[in-house]
Amino acid sequence: MINNQAPAAPPVRDDAPPVTGSAAGRVAVGLLLLAFAGVTGLFAPLLVMASDNCFEGDARTICSVGGQQIVGTLPVAAAVVAALLTVVGMGRSGPVGRGCLLAAPCLLVLSWVVSYAIAGS
């Protein structure tokens, strides 16, 4: 005998929260960014040594006092600000947290680019 009256399937609910990233993902990305900020703060200022081959009257930017100060302090300041942005991004969810976690590497890369541009000129 065949039963033509199968039990009705339960209705499908769409009450699941949207997937926007997890706290573990924010922490993992944050730890990588903190490591990048540490490397930037420790090693990028060493680009000042590009001024070792400067001689009197050299017109390159790295041979000026201002250029050397920028190359020496910009990466350290960028690393501190990026570390603060990373900590805020790790602690907050939503657009503010994502914005902070996106701004931190942009700031660090910008400091490397500016430092290399001055050291290489």
Side-chain angles (χ1 to χ4, degrees):
M1 176 180 258
I2 299 174
N3 186 359
N4 289 336
Q5 292 182 342
V12 177
R13 294 181 166 214
D14 194 18
D15 294 340
V19 177
T20 58
S22 65
R26 283 195 317 270
V27 170
V29 168
L31 291 176
L32 289 173
L33 286 174
L34 287 175
F36 185 29
V39 167
T40 299
L42 289 174
F43 296 114
L46 297 178
L47 291 172
V48 171
M49 290 191 296
S51 66
D52 285 349
N53 62 355
C54 291
F55 54 88
E56 189 174 335
D58 200 340
R60 294 180 298 162
T61 309
I62 191 63
C63 295
S64 69
V65 174
Q68 290 177 4
Q69 288 178 345
I70 290 172
V71 171
T73 58
L74 178 68
V76 174
V80 169
V81 173
L84 290 174
L85 285 171
T86 300
V87 170
V88 169
M90 286 173 31
R92 303 272 314 252
S93 61
V96 173
R98 284 190 300 271
C100 289
L101 288 176
L102 287 173
C106 294
L107 183 63
L108 293 172
V109 168
L110 181 66
S111 73
W112 277 99
V113 168
V114 169
S115 296
Y116 267 123
I118 293 173
S121 64

